[in-house]
Amino acid sequence: MHALAVSCVAQISLVFGMAGLFWPEKLLPIFDVLMFPWISTHRTVRLNSIAALMLAVLLLAGLALRSV
């Protein structure tokens, strides 16, 4: 059950990471709410998307190493 939850989190971060890289203007309103005191820009959305993709890779690598 734990592996299922980790893989779901990895998939969600992968989806948001790719969406932020391809369509940062569509995610700007979400980041305006999430990063309330600061102004969200295309650069911050892209940086957060890259971080989300790295998180997905780390989670999937952890799952792969745990199953071996």
Side-chain angles (χ1 to χ4, degrees):
M1 193 62 159
H2 176 69
L4 179 65
V6 173
S7 53
C8 284
V9 169
Q11 289 294 320
I12 289 170
S13 63
L14 183 65
V15 166
F16 280 110
M18 294 300 288
L21 287 178
F22 287 127
W23 305 288
E25 65 277 351
K26 293 188 180 190
L27 290 180
L28 272 175
I30 296 170
F31 277 91
D32 281 336
V33 173
L34 291 176
M35 300 173 54
F36 170 64
W38 301 282
I39 299 170
S40 64
T41 62
H42 288 289
R43 184 178 181 201
T44 58
V45 172
R46 284 192 192 108
L47 288 176
N48 282 316
S49 298
I50 291 170
L53 289 173
M54 284 192 271
L55 175 68
V57 168
L58 287 173
L59 288 172
L60 290 174
L63 281 175
L65 290 176
R66 181 174 278 196
S67 67
V68 170

